Amino acid sequence: MCGIVGYVGSQSALEVVLAGLRRLEYRGYDSAGVAVLADGQIASARKSGKLVNLEKALVDGPLPAGATGIGHTRWATHGGPTDANAHPHLDNAGRVAVVHNGIIENFAELRAELAGRGHVLTSETDTETVAHLLAEEFSGCADLAEAMRLVCRRLQGAFTLVAVHADAPDVVVGARRNSPLVVGVGEGEAFLASDVAAFIAHTRSAIELGQDQVVEVRRDEVVVTGFDGRPAEVRHFRVDWDAAAAEKGGYASFMHKEIAEQPRAVADTLLGRIGADGALILDELRIPAAELREVDKVVVVACGTAFHAGLIAKYAIEHWTRLPCEVELASEFRYRDPILDARSLVIAISQSGETMDTLMALRHAREQGSRVLAICNTNGSTIPRESDAVLYTHAGPEVAVASTKAFLTQLVACYLVALYLGQARGTKWGDEVLGVVRDLADIAGAVERVLGDMEPVRELARSLAGAGTVLFLGRHVGYPVALEGALKLKELAYMHAEGFAAGELKHGPIALVEEGLPVVVVVPSPRGRCVLHDKIVSNIQEIRARGARTIVIAEEGDDAVLPYADHVVRVPVTPTLLQPLVTTVPLQVFACELAVARGNEVDQPRNLAKSVTVE
Ligand code: F6R
C-alpha cells in the first residue's frame, strides 16, 4: 500500500528517489510523485498511472537539481488515482511537501477545521490535511521534527508520513504509526523508505523505527523521538541481501525469477536450524520453554496466500504435536470474539510483516494474554517486532505482487514450528525431528526437478488462454494447494477460478462441470493414506464422466490416474505432509503463463498491492 522514499545527501535526490520508487512500485502503482528541495524552494511533479508516466513527465518538465527529496508511489484509498490526488501534497504556500502511506481516520474533521481557517484543499485525499497542518505548526516553532510531532498527536488511524520544508534544507522528517518506515544510514547520506529495497543499492545499514516515533534525518545524523518528544532507543540492523537480489536478473518478470528462486529460498530457510544439541532453533524466542509445554491450542492467523500456508500447517501441527489447531482469516479473527488465553499459541504468518489485518489479529491475541509466534520474511517489520517469537523465512525480497517463493518458505517455516512444538512437548523425538528436517532438505532438489520440466505446463496454460473458468480440487494437504492454485489464477489471469475439497464437489459445485471445463486435480500420494488416493481417483472419474478436461498433478509412478487424466503433471515422490512444497509449483507456473498469454502484467496485477497496510 503506497511506497515512500526520502533522501538527504550529496547525490541527485531526484535520481535516488526515482530509483527507490522503482523498487517500491510493487506496493502500489496507480500514481506517483516526487518533490525536491532546490534553492530554498520545493519543486514537485505528480502523475497518475505507473511510475513510467511520472518519468516521462519529468523528461518534458525537468525539476531543478537538489540533494534533498521525497517520493511516493500510490495505492489509492481516499480519492481516485488522479494527478490531483497523487502525492506529494503541498500546503497553499508550497513550502511543505508530504507523502503518506495509510489512512488518517479523522481527516474529514481536520479538513473542515482547516477550511474554516482559510486553507484551500485541492485534492480528495486525507494526506493533504497533513501538509497544511505541518505548515501551520512549522510557522510556530520553525522545527520540522517538532511540527511533525505536534501534527501526529492530532492524527487518528495508521500512517507513515515523510516531509520536507523549504525553510529546513538538508533535513527530511518521517513519522510512523502502524505503517512501515525504515531508515537507511549511508556515508554522508540518509534514506527513509517503506522497505529497505528502496535504498539497498546505497547502504545495507538500517534502523528500525518503533510505533509512534518521529525521525529526523540529515546527511550525518539520525534523531529518533517519540510523538511526545522523548528520545527513543534506536535499533540498528544489517540487511542480509544485496541489490542484485532485488533486480530481475534477466528473467521476463520478477514472478518468473521468484518462482525459479524457490529451491534456493527453501534451502536458505532451513539453514542453521539445528543446534549442536540437535534442538531446533528459532530466530527470536521470548517464550519460556515451560510455557510452550503448557500450550493447549494453536491458532494460525494470516491472509491470502499466507492463510493457505496456515491451512497446510494445521495438518502438520495436529499430526506432530497432537494439539488442536485452528486456522483463521486474520481479517475475521478479532471480530468473532475468539476464545484465547495464556495457554493459546497464536502463529501469525506474513511475508511483508506489515499486513494490517494480521497485525490487528496478533494485537488482539496478545491483549487476551496469548503468546504470538511470527513467521515472516521481512526483518525489522512490525509483525515480528510485536511478537513473542519469530522464525524468519529466508526467501529474499519478494517483489512480484503474487506470492510464490514466500509461500514455499512459509510452508517450510510452518513445518519447523510444528516440529519445534512437538520437540518442546515431547510428542516428537530428536531422531524423528531430524528425519523430517532431512526430508525437508531434500525438497529443494525436488522443487528444482519440478521446475526443470515445466514446458508442458506452460504449453497447456497457453492453450487455455481463452477459458472462462478453471476449477481446482484437492484432498488433505492438497486442498489448500487447490485454493492457492485458484487464488494465483484469479489474481494473475483475472479468470474465474475456484478451489474445492474434492469430496465436497458432490455437495454442490459439481453442477459447474460441463463439457470441456478445465479441472486441475492435486492427487495425494498413493503411498500415504491410500484411502485418500482412491477417493480422489473416483472424484476424477466423476468429473470426467461429466465432460471435464482433467489436469492431474500426481506423484511420479502413480499410474492409477492415467486412464482418467487428459493431462498429467508429474511431481517427485515426497512424504505426504510435505507434498504441497512440490505440487504448488506447477500451479504457480500455470497461472503465470496464463497471465502472460492473456496479455496481463504478472508483476503488478490490476487493483492489487503487495503490502496491504489498511484493514
Ligand atoms: C497472493 C498474495 C496475498 C498475500 C496476502 C498476505 O499472491 O500475495 O494474498 O499473501 O496479502 O500478505 P502478507 O504475507 O505480506 O501478510
Side-chain angles (χ1 to χ4, degrees):
M1 305 278 97
C2 304
I4 288 182
V5 189
Y7 175 73
V8 54
S10 50
Q11 303 188 53
S12 154
L14 185 62
E15 276 171 31
V16 174
V17 166
L18 283 174
L21 291 180
R22 253 172 251 132
R23 291 267 168 76
L24 297 187
E25 214 185 357
Y26 70 87
R27 300 180 64 86
Y29 31 84
D30 58 37
S31 57
V34 284
V36 172
L37 281 186
D39 309 322
Q41 306 288 330
I42 289 179
S44 71
R46 310 180 288 174
K47 209 74 204 143
S48 61
K50 296 203 168 183
L51 187 60
V52 64
N53 293 5
L54 174 70
E55 289 172 317
K56 279 191 201 131
L58 287 167
V59 171
D60 298 339
L63 297 184
T68 305
I70 60 176
H72 188 265
T73 175
R74 180 169 187 246
W75 186 84
T77 51
H78 285 88
T82 59
D83 287 357
N85 289 333
H87 301 207
H89 287 281
L90 276 69
D91 67 312
N92 286 148
R95 305 299 290 165
V96 61
V98 178
V99 291
H100 165 218
N101 172 28
I103 294 178
I104 293 162
E105 284 165 2
N106 55 335
F107 94 103
E109 182 190 307
L110 295 170
R111 219 180 147 90
E113 181 192 310
L114 284 161
R117 289 202 292 274
H119 292 257
V120 181
L121 287 99
T122 54
S123 77
E124 300 159 286
T125 67
D126 47 351
T127 311
E128 198 184 0
T129 55
V130 177
H132 289 253
L133 290 170
L134 266 179
E136 280 190 345
E137 296 294 0
F138 185 88
S139 68
C141 65
D143 175 343
L144 189 55
E146 176 59 8
M148 182 65 96
R149 285 188 286 268
L150 291 166
V151 171
C152 286
R153 297 212 284 264
R154 301 207 48 206
L155 304 180
Q156 287 162 19
F159 48 85
T160 296
L161 296 161
V162 169
V164 287
H165 197 294
D167 297 327
D170 310 324
V171 57
V172 182
V173 166
R176 81 168 281 250
R177 169 178 287 168
N178 287 339
S179 237
L181 184 64
V182 276
V183 184
V185 186
E187 295 272 317
E189 56 185 359
F191 308 79
L192 291 176
S194 313
D195 176 337
V196 295
F199 55 71
I200 191 68
H202 306 277
T203 180
R204 288 164 78 170
S205 167
I207 293 174
E208 290 178 17
L209 285 187
Q211 272 312 3
D212 288 7
Q213 290 185 345
V214 165
V215 61
E216 193 177 356
V217 297
R218 293 187 170 76
R219 276 174 202 176
D220 296 306
E221 194 185 21
V222 176
V223 180
V224 185
T225 56
F227 284 179
D228 57 7
R230 286 202 209 131
E233 195 194 327
V234 173
R235 288 172 58 173
H236 287 265
F237 67 101
R238 227 183 134 63
V239 184
D240 60 5
W241 45 271
D242 59 19
E247 302 289 349
K248 272 191 219 165
Y251 286 91
S253 69
F254 278 108
M255 185 167 178
H256 286 90
K257 175 176 174 252
E258 287 159 11
I259 289 174
E261 283 172 345
Q262 292 185 111
R264 167 94 271 137
V266 164
D268 285 353
T269 301
L270 278 169
L271 273 183
R273 293 294 173 199
I274 306 283
D277 57 355
L280 279 161
I281 301 173
L282 300 187
D283 294 292
E284 291 167 28
L285 182 65
R286 297 175 281 267
I287 309 177
E291 264 186 48
L292 277 181
R293 280 194 288 276
E294 289 302 303
V295 166
D296 65 2
K297 172 167 90 166
V298 178
V299 183
V300 182
V301 289
C303 303
T305 289
F307 171 71
H308 297 155
L311 290 176
I312 293 166
K314 176 181 167 77
Y315 291 86
I317 290 170
E318 293 194 335
H319 190 60
W320 290 340
T321 70
R322 308 312 296 152
L323 281 169
C325 175
E326 295 166 15
V327 188
E328 181 103 21
L329 287 168
S331 52
E332 291 291 321
F333 184 63
R334 67 184 170 133
Y335 301 106
R336 71 164 176 86
D337 196 12
I339 301 166
L340 294 169
D341 59 30
R343 296 184 68 187
S344 319
L345 177 72
V346 173
I347 301 178
I349 309 176
S350 174
Q351 186 284 130
S352 61
E354 300 293 347
T355 300
M356 188 56 79
D357 289 317
T358 310
L359 180 61
M360 289 305 179
L362 93 77
R363 285 188 183 158
H364 182 78
R366 295 195 79 205
E367 278 161 18
Q368 311 304 306
S370 305
R371 296 294 198 157
V372 176
L373 185 154
I375 291 176
C376 185
N377 194 41
T378 313
N379 211 301
S381 59
T382 311
I383 288 173
R385 285 165 37 131
E386 294 200 13
S387 298
D388 301 291
V390 187
L391 197 155
Y392 283 108
T393 51
H394 295 292
E398 193 180 63
V399 177
V401 165
S403 190
T404 53
K405 62 175 179 171
F407 176 70
L408 252 59
T409 58
Q410 282 161 356
L411 290 181
V412 171
C414 287
Y415 294 126
L416 290 174
V417 166
L419 291 173
Y420 186 88
L421 285 174
Q423 202 172 42
R425 297 170 51 78
T427 54
K428 274 264 170 213
W429 301 110
D431 59 335
E432 293 175 302
V433 170
L434 275 179
V436 181
V437 172
R438 267 187 221 114
D439 289 338
L440 281 168
D442 289 341
I443 292 287
V447 174
E448 190 90 63
R449 291 217 297 287
V450 175
L451 287 170
D453 195 18
M454 282 293 96
E455 199 37 46
V457 171
R458 283 192 275 269
E459 203 179 304
L460 173 66
R462 289 191 289 270
S463 77
L464 291 173
T469 294
V470 180
L471 301 186
F472 293 77
L473 307 182
R475 275 181 181 262
H476 193 252
V477 286
Y479 167 43
V481 173
L483 295 177
E484 175 62 8
L487 175 61
K488 286 281 105 67
L489 203 59
K490 278 182 248 200
E491 67 181 325
L492 291 164
Y494 317 150
M495 286 168 79
H496 175 234
E498 282 198 65
F500 297 108
E504 196 56 22
L505 209 64
K506 57 189 174 298
H507 300 290
I510 200 164
L512 291 169
V513 177
E514 56 187 13
E515 197 58 40
L517 178 85
V519 184
V520 179
V521 189
V522 183
V523 178
S525 164
R527 297 162 306 101
R529 296 206 178 151
C530 37
V531 59
L532 280 176
H533 180 267
D534 295 350
K535 293 237 174 344
I536 210 158
V537 172
S538 306
N539 298 141
I540 302 173
Q541 292 177 55
E542 285 155 18
I543 52 169
R544 199 136 183 276
R546 287 161 179 84
R549 179 173 169 187
T550 54
I551 302 157
V552 174
I553 318 263
E555 174 176 295
E556 281 155 3
D558 177 0
D559 291 339
V561 296
L562 290 178
Y564 319 108
D566 293 304
H567 308 268
V568 182
V569 180
R570 290 296 185 189
V571 291
V573 173
T574 55
T576 304
L577 277 170
L578 308 191
Q579 205 200 29
L581 287 163
V582 288
T583 47
T584 306
V585 176
L587 305 188
Q588 298 168 339
V589 173
F590 180 70
C592 182
E593 191 67 19
L594 241 163
V596 173
R598 286 163 74 97
N600 298 352
E601 234 181 283
V602 288
D603 284 342
Q604 295 174 343
R606 68 184 182 203
N607 304 338
L608 293 174
K610 180 82 183 154
S611 173
V612 186
T613 53
V614 292
E615 275 188 276

